[in-house]
């Protein structure tokens, strides 16, 4: 189908696509148009990576805008939201505006009401529904990218419930779901009342195969010789082979440590293929990476980048990930070794994809387990970019003949697994049941069950009555923790099993029984009325608005109620680290003793009911939360980023993620404290501000001034400038000496309200005693996470909530 044959698009759209070199639609795109994508019809498009899914989305959204509507594009990751926003911004040339909504889970983002296309993560859309964003009712088209991630245990339920709610809000809503090829695309289409485009077509050939010995054997029966020299690794030989041909490589491994080690080795291969110009560009890129963070991880990454290789994993900062991805797309970087996070939607194709590790550690299995077919196919689908690569190759590595045959059977010739709803998994159901009640989507038990019947979980559940039983168990949990009230028209007996209130002296674990545990009950029905009314309490509304897991809220409320004295920062940091919303650090070998000693030293500071050390699993979780809380305390007492990342064996991205999540959870704790009239609201607020800026209590006033981060605040404080008022009266020469830069000093003085912030003619004045200059000599610049956030205005680049 030629693009000139398209109709129903805004004036100028067709010529825009033609200027981008699009004259003819790919077969899956043409099939989508024929199925009604541009006519407002629901559609599921299950097509391989790089086969034109975004164009299907664009045609659907632009046609909706042309009809006077508004479109929403849902993505799984914040990085992907930024990428798609930049792509859709090009439509402004013919009058279609785009906005992006990420972060701030209490905002309704009302400014987006004026935008034609909105890009957002599923979590952000869910929070918009909870907070009653009026403009959502104006939607006429929603596109769900990577919809197969409904299968993800952690994030899938949010996408599933969000789609169900949007369809309830807008009965005529067009839903376009985009996916990699999955085993049950027809089931997804049935759930969404949609037509199905299901194809394996790709714009360039993808050969999948296995390397064993000195040969690459492909699924079509062909063979390519790739000899392995001497002590060379298989992946190094495969990278060398494709680089000599002018292609790039992605190598997928199963851990961060392996990704970093592989990048160091592969740099020896890629460095031999660099031109003088590329070396110079890579040196500049490495300098940017070092400037972003002064950690060992950053230094290691920069060293690799100078040789044309890189590693990519969740321990990198978002800035570092973006720099690596952009340079790889530009083919400046020749090879990336990555954990599977890189396969989750971000546009990073390579001519050859090498899946080195097809097993990873699975705690539930107690050892290494094979990856799912769908996950491996997602990695393999990164092979080949139209316009740059004549073909794509995806390669698994085998150590012997038997393993080679196993890999062909397990992955190359296998179909992906079906997508299965995870809505009944903890903590999804308790979270979404409360949100459904609080946002008014269900006001009775029957109404709640009716809404849940519209989910994929209900359509896939084969066990009669299970959804009803699990829902009733969750309602019991929410009622007993004072998140909802139930008006029963018939008398009923209490079903028992949980402690009656949040504030009891009972063990916290029994008071906060999970939905999954409850679901394992006998399912017997109480005498409750079938049409009992449900209403969220004021506390329940607050929990839903804050986007908290109810179990996190219960843990926080119980901890605050339990405090007899003003909570310390460590006590509050350990409290929020115990919640399901914080991915706590795990205890490494020998650390149970180290943090056990810390526990006994500072036991009085910790909030809530500690488990007995004889309860091994629960006590280990308590210590892991203490370790996470101690990391946050170290940050808030101004330990530098390099020291912390080395001490806890984490990457800069991990540190920034923990800090951002703690800031969010403590902000939520502050709201909860106010809701329950706790006397510790101010203590929570101070702990939140300290972790936000990474400073001690004495610097809290200084960091409230725009442009002052943790390092500048400390230098100013040591120079005798202890509060914003001092900035307005101090010798400007001293301020210039401390802040090292006229423009920086002027901006900060202006923010502080100085009547004459100009530095014209001002000379730096060293401080008697040399305290400031001594600090300056050891300061490498404002590179810590909070400093970059406040001083470099880069908070959009910081990871938040697991990198949504």
């Amino acid at each position: 189908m030629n693009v000139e044959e398209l109709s129903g698009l805004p004036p100028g759209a067709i010529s825009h696509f033609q200027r981008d070199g699009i004259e003819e639609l790919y077969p899956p795109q043409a099939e989508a148009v024929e199925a009604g994508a541009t006519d407002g019809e629901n559609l599921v498009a299950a097509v391989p990576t790089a086969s034109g899914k975004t164009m299907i989305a664009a045609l659907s959204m632009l046609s909706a805008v042309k009809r006077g509507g508004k479109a929403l594009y849902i993505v799984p990751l914040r990085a992907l939201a930024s990428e798609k926003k930049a792509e859709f911004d090009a439509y402004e040339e013919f009058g279609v505006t785009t906005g992006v909504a990420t972060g701030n889970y209490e905002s309704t983002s009302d400014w987006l009401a004026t935008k034609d296309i909105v890009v957002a993560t599923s979590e952000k859309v869910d929070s918009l529904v909870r907070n009653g964003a009026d403009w959502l009712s104006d939607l006429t088209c929603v596109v769900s990218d990577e919809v197969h991630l409904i299968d993800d245990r952690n994030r899938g339920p949010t996408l599933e419930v969000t789609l169900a709610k949007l369809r309830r809000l807008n009965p005529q809503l067009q839903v376009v779901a985009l996916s990699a090829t999955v085993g049950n695309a027809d089931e997804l289409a049935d759930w969404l009342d949609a037509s199905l485009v299901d194809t394996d077509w790709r714009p360039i050939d993808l050969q999948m195969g296995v390397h064993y010995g000195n040969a690459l054997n492909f699924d079509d029966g062909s063979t390519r010789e790739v000899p392995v020299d001497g002590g060379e690794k298989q992946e190094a030989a495969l990278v060398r082979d494709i680089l000599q041909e002018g292609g790039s490589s992605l190598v997928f491994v199963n851990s961060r440590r392996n990704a970093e080690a592989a990048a160091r080795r592969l740099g020896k291969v890629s460095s031999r293929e660099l031109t003088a110009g590329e070396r110079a560009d890579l040196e500049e890129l490495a300098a940017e990476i070092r400037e972003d963070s002064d950690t060992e991880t950053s230094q290691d990454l920069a060293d690799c980048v100078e040789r044309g290789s890189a590693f990519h994993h969740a321990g990198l900062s978002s800035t570092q990930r973006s720099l690596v991805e952009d340079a790889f797309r530009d083919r400046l970087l020749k090879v990336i070794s990555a954990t599977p996070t890189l396969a989750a939607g971000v546009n990073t194709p390579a001519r050859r994809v090498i899946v080195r590790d097809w097993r990873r550690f699975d705690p539930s299995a107690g050892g290494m387990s094979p990856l799912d077919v769908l996950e491996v196919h997602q990695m393999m689908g990164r092979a080949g970019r139209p316009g740059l690569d004549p073909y794509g190759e995806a390669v698994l590595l085998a150590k012997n003949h038997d393993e080679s045959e196993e890999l062909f059977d397990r992955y190359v010739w296998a179909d992906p697994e079906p997508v299965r709803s995870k809505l009944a998994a903890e903590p999804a159901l308790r979270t979404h049941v409360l949100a459904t009640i609080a946002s008014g989507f269900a006001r009775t038990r029957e109404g709640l069950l009716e809404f849940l019947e519209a989910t994929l979980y209900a359509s896939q559940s084969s066990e009669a009555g299970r959804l009803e039983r699990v829902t009733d168990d969750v309602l019991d949990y929410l009622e007993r923790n004072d998140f909802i009230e139930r008006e029963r028209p018939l008398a009923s007996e209490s079903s028992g099993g949980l402690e009656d209130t949040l504030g009891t002296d009972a063990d916290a674990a029994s008071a906060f029984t999970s939905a999954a545990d409850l679901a394992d009950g006998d399912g017997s029905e109480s005498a409750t009325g079938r049409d009992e009314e449900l209403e969220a309490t004021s506390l329940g509304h607050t929990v839903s608005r804050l986007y908290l897991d109810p179990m996190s809220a219960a843990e926080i409320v119980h901890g605050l109620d339990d405090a007899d004295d003003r909570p310390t920062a460590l006590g509050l940091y350990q409290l929020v680290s115990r919640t399901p919303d914080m991915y706590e650090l795990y205890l490494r070998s020998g650390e149970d003793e180290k943090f056990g000693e810390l526990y006994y030293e500072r036991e009085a500071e910790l909030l809530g009911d500690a488990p007995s050390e004889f309860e091994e699993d629960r006590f280990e979780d308590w210590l892991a939360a203490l370790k996470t809380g101690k990391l946050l305390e170290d940050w808030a007492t101004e330990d530098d980023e390099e020291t912390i990342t080395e001490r806890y064996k984490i990457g800069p991205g991990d540190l920034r993620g923990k800090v951002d999540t703690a800031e969010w959870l403590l902000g939520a704790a502050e709201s909860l404290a106010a809701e329950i009239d706790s006397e510790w609201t101010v203590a929570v607020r101070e702990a939140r501000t300290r972790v936000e800026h990474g400073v001690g209590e004495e610097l809290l006033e200084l960091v409230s001034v725009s442009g002052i981060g943790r390092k500048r605040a400390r230098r100013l404080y040591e120079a005798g400038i202890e509060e914003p008022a001092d900035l307005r009266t101090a010798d400007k020469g001293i301020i210039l000496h401390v802040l090292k830069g006229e423009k920086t000093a002027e901006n900060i003085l202006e923010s502080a309200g100085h009547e004459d912030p100009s530095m014209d003619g001002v000379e730096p004045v060293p401080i008697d005693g040399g305290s400031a200059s001594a600090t300056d000599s050891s300061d490498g610049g404002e590179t810590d996470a909070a400093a970059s956030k406040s001083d470099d205005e880069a908070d959009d680049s910081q990871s938040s909530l697991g990198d949504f």
Side-chain angles (χ1 to χ4, degrees):
M1 177 183 289
N2 194 292
V3 292
E4 291 182 343
E5 300 175 48
L6 293 171
S7 60
L9 300 179
I14 290 176
S15 50
H16 166 81
F17 292 132
Q18 290 174 326
R19 283 194 298 274
D20 278 354
I22 302 172
E23 295 288 347
E24 190 171 349
L25 296 183
Y26 288 158
Q29 296 166 347
E31 190 176 343
V33 171
E34 291 166 359
T38 56
D39 297 320
E41 298 295 327
N42 291 350
L43 178 74
V44 170
V47 298
T49 301
S51 297
K53 291 196 292 288
T54 300
M55 184 65 170
I56 294 173
L59 295 175
S60 303
M61 293 190 298
L62 290 173
S63 62
V65 172
K66 177 62 168 61
R67 293 191 297 271
K70 184 183 184 72
L72 173 66
Y73 190 98
I74 301 177
V75 294
L77 301 171
R78 293 181 71 178
L80 193 55
S82 300
E83 183 180 304
K84 292 302 180 184
K85 165 68 164 59
E87 188 174 339
F88 299 150
D89 276 345
Y91 302 157
E92 288 202 21
E93 69 178 45
F94 53 86
V96 175
T97 58
T98 306
V100 64
T102 56
N104 194 352
Y105 288 88
E106 295 179 63
S107 167
T108 57
S109 301
D110 290 337
W111 64 276
L112 291 171
T114 63
K115 301 298 182 181
D116 298 313
I117 297 174
V118 175
V119 184
T121 62
S122 55
E123 288 79 11
K124 177 60 179 179
V125 179
D126 185 25
S127 75
L128 289 167
V129 174
R130 296 186 189 200
N131 285 280
D134 292 336
W135 59 267
L136 289 176
S137 60
D138 297 330
L139 291 175
T140 56
C141 174
V142 60
V143 176
S144 178
D145 199 1
E146 309 288 345
V147 74
H148 55 273
L149 291 177
I150 280 178
D151 194 77
D152 183 88
R153 181 169 294 275
N154 294 317
R155 304 181 63 192
T158 296
L159 175 57
E160 179 182 348
V161 170
T162 297
L163 288 175
K165 286 182 177 178
L166 290 176
R167 296 182 74 196
R168 174 70 70 90
L169 270 175
N170 308 285
Q172 304 306 313
L173 182 69
Q174 178 188 16
V175 179
V176 178
L178 309 176
S179 172
T181 304
V182 296
N184 62 336
D186 55 338
E187 208 171 311
L188 293 177
D190 287 344
W191 170 51
L192 294 172
D193 302 313
S195 300
L196 174 63
V197 174
D198 191 2
T199 177
D200 293 329
W201 184 91
R202 284 175 54 97
I204 59 174
D205 289 337
L206 171 64
Q207 291 184 295
M208 296 194 295
V210 177
H211 184 269
Y212 161 56
N214 291 318
L216 241 176
N217 300 300
F218 292 108
D219 51 346
D220 62 1
S222 63
T223 299
R224 174 171 177 159
E225 186 177 355
V226 183
V228 180
D229 299 335
E232 191 177 34
K233 299 279 188 181
Q234 281 176 283
E235 62 268 26
L238 288 161
V239 169
R240 170 175 49 79
D241 174 69
I242 208 71
L243 283 179
Q244 290 173 350
E245 185 185 283
S248 60
S249 296
L250 271 175
V251 181
F252 284 105
V253 297
N254 60 10
S255 72
R256 298 181 186 186
R257 181 177 297 180
N258 285 340
E260 294 176 12
R264 287 191 289 270
R265 287 195 304 270
L266 295 172
K268 299 175 184 177
V269 177
S270 58
S271 63
R272 296 194 292 265
E273 306 298 328
L274 299 175
T275 66
E278 288 174 332
R279 290 182 190 279
D281 291 341
L282 287 167
E283 286 178 4
E284 290 183 13
L285 178 62
E288 285 189 72
I289 290 169
R290 292 188 180 101
E291 185 178 341
D292 175 67
S293 170
D294 56 6
T295 63
E296 183 179 354
T297 299
S298 302
Q299 183 61 51
D300 290 345
L301 177 61
D303 291 345
C304 290
V305 163
E306 288 177 332
R307 297 191 293 271
S309 71
F311 51 86
H312 188 292
H313 56 58
L316 301 184
S317 73
S318 54
T319 298
Q320 292 168 351
R321 291 198 298 270
S322 294
L323 289 171
V324 167
E325 291 162 10
D326 290 344
F328 188 70
R329 280 192 287 265
D330 293 339
R331 297 290 164 101
L332 179 59
L333 284 172
K334 307 302 180 183
V335 57
I336 293 179
S337 58
T339 54
T341 53
L342 191 59
V346 181
N347 179 26
T348 49
R351 185 169 302 179
R352 178 175 286 165
V353 169
I354 302 162
V355 182
R356 192 193 79 176
D357 300 335
W358 52 277
R359 296 185 183 94
R360 68 165 160 237
F361 182 75
D362 181 356
S364 64
M368 304 297 285
S369 294
L371 299 178
D372 290 341
V373 177
L374 179 59
E375 188 171 1
V376 171
H377 281 198
Q378 279 286 96
M379 299 178 200
M380 299 173 97
R382 297 278 151 207
R385 184 200 292 184
L388 281 180
D389 297 315
Y391 61 89
E393 286 182 355
V395 185
L396 292 137
L397 307 185
K399 298 180 179 62
N400 52 58
H401 178 73
D402 289 345
E403 187 172 82
S404 176
E405 289 191 342
E406 178 186 359
L407 291 176
F408 268 102
D409 289 339
R410 183 184 290 277
Y411 295 116
V412 177
W413 290 325
D415 292 325
E417 299 85 359
V419 169
R420 305 293 301 178
S421 169
K422 302 298 189 296
L423 182 57
E426 180 189 5
L429 199 59
R430 64 174 179 260
T431 297
H432 291 293
V433 165
L434 175 59
T436 300
I437 296 169
S439 57
F441 271 87
R443 301 184 186 280
T444 65
R445 176 180 175 277
E446 285 298 304
L448 174 63
L449 290 170
E450 180 185 351
F451 170 74
L452 293 174
E453 284 292 340
T455 62
L456 179 64
Y457 172 74
S459 70
Q460 291 182 330
S461 179
S462 58
E463 184 181 341
R466 174 169 171 77
L467 180 60
E468 187 173 354
R469 291 196 302 275
V470 174
T471 301
D472 282 336
D473 289 335
V474 170
L475 290 175
D476 286 343
Y477 168 81
L478 295 174
E479 183 182 30
R480 283 179 168 79
N481 286 283
D482 196 30
F483 297 135
I484 65 168
E485 293 176 344
R486 301 158 82 175
E487 184 176 332
R488 299 174 173 86
L490 299 178
S492 65
E493 298 290 330
S494 173
S495 57
L498 291 175
E499 300 299 325
D500 288 342
T501 64
L502 285 169
T504 65
D505 293 329
D507 190 298
S510 63
F512 307 137
T513 306
S514 71
D517 294 334
L518 289 166
D520 290 333
D522 63 9
S524 60
E525 293 187 7
S526 67
T528 56
R530 291 269 175 188
D531 55 351
E532 63 186 2
E533 294 183 5
L534 306 173
E535 184 177 358
T537 62
S538 179
L539 179 62
H541 277 289
T542 298
V543 172
S544 180
R545 175 178 55 81
L546 292 170
Y547 209 74
L548 279 177
D549 180 337
M551 189 174 285
S552 295
E555 190 80 34
I556 290 169
V557 168
H558 179 79
L560 293 175
D561 275 348
D562 185 62
D564 295 324
D565 300 314
R566 191 181 199 271
T568 65
L570 178 66
L572 291 166
Y573 296 154
Q574 197 261 358
L575 173 63
V576 298
S577 296
R578 297 202 309 261
T579 68
D581 283 307
M582 172 70 85
Y583 292 98
E584 62 190 25
L585 298 171
Y586 66 89
L587 295 180
R588 297 177 180 272
S589 177
E591 287 190 336
D592 52 346
E593 182 176 344
K594 173 184 175 181
F595 286 99
E597 291 177 2
L598 180 65
Y599 165 64
Y600 290 115
E601 287 173 14
R602 305 185 66 175
E603 181 179 4
E605 296 181 53
L606 305 185
L607 306 174
D609 302 316
S612 163
E613 60 183 295
F614 298 107
E615 301 175 83
E616 292 185 8
D617 290 344
R618 291 189 59 228
F619 190 66
E620 183 173 323
D621 285 342
W622 186 270
L623 294 184
L626 178 58
K627 177 182 177 181
T628 309
K630 186 65 173 70
L631 175 148
L632 295 169
E633 184 188 52
D634 291 351
W635 171 252
T637 50
E638 299 173 57
D639 284 2
D640 63 72
E641 190 175 14
E642 182 177 15
T643 299
I644 294 174
T645 54
E646 176 60 28
R647 179 181 297 152
Y648 292 93
K649 307 301 180 188
I650 59 174
D654 299 306
L655 173 57
R656 297 179 189 190
K658 291 287 183 293
V659 167
D660 284 345
T661 304
E663 181 187 344
W664 164 60
L665 286 171
L666 287 163
E670 186 179 344
S671 296
L672 290 172
E675 178 66 40
I676 63 173
D677 294 323
S678 171
E679 60 184 306
W680 310 128
T681 305
V682 173
V684 176
R685 183 182 307 130
E686 288 184 2
R688 176 189 60 77
T689 308
R690 286 187 61 194
V691 84
E692 175 187 358
H693 296 284
V695 296
E697 287 183 44
E698 69 274 19
L699 299 186
L700 287 177
E701 289 192 61
L702 278 176
V703 294
S704 69
V705 177
S706 176
I708 298 182
R710 64 197 317 239
K711 290 188 176 181
R712 288 175 184 161
R714 179 53 61 189
R715 293 203 303 267
L716 288 167
Y717 190 87
E718 291 179 351
I721 300 168
E722 300 181 359
E723 56 187 31
D726 296 336
L727 286 167
R728 298 191 286 271
T729 59
D731 186 320
K732 290 201 289 186
I734 292 176
I735 292 173
L736 180 59
H737 171 76
V738 172
L739 295 178
K740 301 187 298 184
E742 290 186 6
K743 187 64 175 174
T744 297
E746 287 179 353
N747 289 340
I748 287 175
L749 287 182
E750 185 176 0
S751 297
H754 198 291
E755 63 181 15
D756 179 20
S758 173
M759 285 288 163
D760 290 344
V762 177
E763 295 294 329
V765 177
I767 302 164
D768 291 341
S771 61
S773 58
T775 305
D776 291 347
S777 67
S778 65
D779 179 50
E782 296 264 354
T783 57
D784 282 317
S788 67
K789 191 168 177 180
S790 58
D791 299 336
D792 298 331
E793 296 181 348
D795 86 308
D796 277 348
S797 71
Q798 304 300 316
S799 56
S800 178
L801 301 180
D803 193 22
F804 289 153

